[in-house]
Structures are given as C-alpha cells and as structure tokens.
C-alpha cells in the first residue's frame, strides 16, 4: 500500500506539516549516514564560533537540500561543438545559454520555495520578501521570466534591465538555481577555458563569490552561480579589471588561512582561501561562512562585497 508513495515524484514536497514539510515522503529522516566533509566542518565551526550559528545552520540545511535535489536532476544535454566553445572562450562570451539548461520549472519552483522557507526560518529573508517569493512560487508566468532575466544579466550585462520584481530576491534565485547550474557545470567540466581572461565565469557569466590560492600560488576564482572555477590574475580585481597593485589592498586573516583582495578603484572585495600551506582544499560552503568576520572587516574599511 506504500507503492504509490515510493513512486511519488522525486521533488514533490511531503504532505507533513511544520519541520518536515520539505522532507520527501520516501526519505526517512532517521536514516543514519555519515555527514559530508563540509557539513562535518560546519558542525565543528559552529562549536568554535557560536556567533556564526545561525548562518551555519542555514548553510547546512541548504547543502542538504542541494544534495537531495541534485542527483535527481538530469544532466543537461549539452553537446557543444568545438567551434562554439572555442569561439565563445576567445571572444570572452560565457558559454552557457539559458535554453541549454533545459530547466524543469516544477523542479525549480520546488527548490525556490524550499530555499525561501529555509532563509526565512534562519532570519536571512524578511517576512515581506518571503511573501513575495510565495506569490511568485504560485505564479509561473511571473517567476519564469524573472529567472531568465536574472540569468541573462549575468551573461550579458546591459542586455536586460533587472525588473523591479527581482529587487531583494536575487539571493533566493541564486541559491535556488545553484543545483541546476552546478549540475550543468559538472557536465561541462572538461571544457578548456585556459584562454579565458575575464573576471566573470566562463560558463554562466556569474561573478566570483570566492577564490582559492593554489599551492603553485595561482588564483582560481569560484563562481557565485554555478561554482565553476577558473584561473585569474593573482592580484587584479575581477570586478573592474583594475590591475594596479598599489590600488589593491590585500590583507590576511589572523591565522593566515584566508585573504581579502579589496579594490581601491571599484571598492569591491573578494575573499580567498589560501591553500598554499593548508591541510585541506577549499570548501566553498564552509569557507564563505568561516570568513563572515572578514566581510565585516572589509565593510568597515568602506568596501562592499
Ligand atoms: Zn558560473
Ligand atoms: Zn575593482
């Protein structure tokens, strides 16, 4: 008699209420499983830095949501011909077009609603904005063009003006799109972007969210949308291309684990994990949270993220 439940659509919400509302029916919350390394690190960080608890709890729930959703997404059917890839990379045009994603809108709406609910629960989204996401989640004809606009403004700034509907909701859309975009990035991992020199992502056009310094002292930027990584000048500002060293302020965290590169031209900054003497590789989900105190320090100096 439970056969119907097992065949329930993968991303359909549970019929339960309250805390379990987002747990799909066929996945028992009690199933004991070793935690992923980044969730284990976040749990340790929570003990070491209790003032980050709320941000950490949200991050853990977002990771769990992404991991529940991602394996069920079909790999995008992207068959780029070599010509299109070479052409795009050489001309500094991000490779991915929205249609390449073949996004399943009902899957997206599920993730969008789930992200908004998690953000509200952890005080990362105020009630008014949450209500807006609820309304959008019900109105496909408004939500879908908004997501497309959000994507296009990253790929080709100036091609579209972000509609007023979008203001304040970008973080929800960005987090909700992450499983879909990172899945696409996975499918495109073999693409050679060595010739790419721009500060935005060669795949999706997103801005870098973080960086990592490799043991060979190269700097890789990490996309805020699809989490792809690409090599970039070790010092230059990826937001405005300022490469004058005396107009880039760089400072390290006290333990030397992290760095900030702040641009004195556009006043934006980028955080980085210094992997030169580190015991583990960068973990985007952990390191963006562990460096929240650095954001405060950068903002105090008049920079913005
Ligand atoms: Zn990207
Ligand atoms: Zn700059």
């Amino acid at each position: 008699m439970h056969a119907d439940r097992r065949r329930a659509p993968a991303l359909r919400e549970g019929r339960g209420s309250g805390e379990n509302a987002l747990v799909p029916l066929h996945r028992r919350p009690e199933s004991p499983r070793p935690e992923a390394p980044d969730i284990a690190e976040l749990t340790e960080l929570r003990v070491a830095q209790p003032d980050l608890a709320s941000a950490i709890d949200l991050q853990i729930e977002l990771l769990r949501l992404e991991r529940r959703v991602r394996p069920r997404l079909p790999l995008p059917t992207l068959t780029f011909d070599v010509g299109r890839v070479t052409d795009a990379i050489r001309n500094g045009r991000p490779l991915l077009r929205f249609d390449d994603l073949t996004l399943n809108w009902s899957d997206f709406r599920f993730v969008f609603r789930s992200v908004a609910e998690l953000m509200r629960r952890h005080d990362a989204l105020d009630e008014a904005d949450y209500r807006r996401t609820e309304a959008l989640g019900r109105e496909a004809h408004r939500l879908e063009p908004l997501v497309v606009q959000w994507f296009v403004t990253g790929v080709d700034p100036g091609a579209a003006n972000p509609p007023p509907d979008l203001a304040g909701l970008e973080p929800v859309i960005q987090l909700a799109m992450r499983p879909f975009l990172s899945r696409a990035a996975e499918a495109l991992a073999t693409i050679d972007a060595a010739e790419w020199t721009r500060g935005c992502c060669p795949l999706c056009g997103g801005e870098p969210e973080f960086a990592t310094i490799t043991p060979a002292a190269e700097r890789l930027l990490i996309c805020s949308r699809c989490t792809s990584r690409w090599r970039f000048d070790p010092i230059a500002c990826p937001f405005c291309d300022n490469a004058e060293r005396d107009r880039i302020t760089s400072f390290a965290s006290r333990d030397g684990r992290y760095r900030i590169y702040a641009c004195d031209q556009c006043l934006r900054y980028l955080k980085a994990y210094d992997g030169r003497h580190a015991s583990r590789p960068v973990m985007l989900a952990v390191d963006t949270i562990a460096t929240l105190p650095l954001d405060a320090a950068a903002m105090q100096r008049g920079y913005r993220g």
Side-chain angles (χ1 to χ4, degrees), residues 237 240 263 266:
C237 169
C240 75
C263 174
C266 69

Side-chain angles (χ1 to χ4, degrees), residues 102-251:
T102 54
L103 195 73
N104 177 321
W105 284 107
S106 95
D107 285 354
F108 176 79
R109 274 199 307 278
F110 166 78
V111 181
F112 179 77
R113 284 196 304 263
S114 305
V115 165
E117 171 61 33
L118 288 175
M119 289 178 76
R120 178 179 71 156
R121 204 187 297 165
H122 294 281
D123 298 323
L125 192 65
D126 66 34
E127 195 60 28
D129 283 341
Y130 176 71
R131 296 277 165 236
R132 289 169 65 207
T133 64
E134 268 194 326
L136 281 171
R138 283 194 301 265
E139 296 176 48
H141 68 282
R142 282 179 60 218
L143 180 62
E144 293 174 15
L146 221 54
V147 174
V148 176
Q149 291 269 21
W150 170 85
F151 183 82
V152 171
T153 47
V155 173
D156 189 5
N161 292 318
D165 274 4
L166 197 58
L169 300 185
E170 292 95 337
V172 189
I173 293 184
Q174 179 175 322
L175 288 168
M177 278 297 285
R178 183 164 280 181
F180 302 89
L181 284 171
S182 63
R183 189 80 166 140
E186 192 183 310
L188 294 172
T190 53
I191 282 177
D192 179 10
E195 284 187 62
W196 185 261
T197 55
R198 292 185 63 190
C200 66
C201 172
L203 273 188
C204 78
E207 288 191 335
E209 174 171 8
F210 209 78
T212 179
I213 306 164
T214 68
E218 287 183 323
R219 189 169 59 153
L220 304 181
L221 307 187
I222 305 175
C223 179
S224 58
R225 295 175 160 202
C226 75
T227 71
S228 287
R229 300 173 188 188
W230 69 101
R231 192 178 301 119
F232 192 68
D233 183 279
I235 291 291
C237 169
F239 303 109
C240 75
D241 287 332
N242 166 32
E244 286 180 52
R245 278 166 191 257
D246 55 357
R247 301 204 67 208
I248 306 273
T249 306
S250 173
F251 52 96

Side-chain angles (χ1 to χ4, degrees), residues 26-44:
H26 60 280
R27 184 177 183 272
R28 302 294 175 210
E30 67 271 16
S31 61
R33 233 186 243 177
E35 290 287 20
D38 46 8
I39 292 183
E41 286 255 349
L42 282 166
T43 309
E44 278 177 35

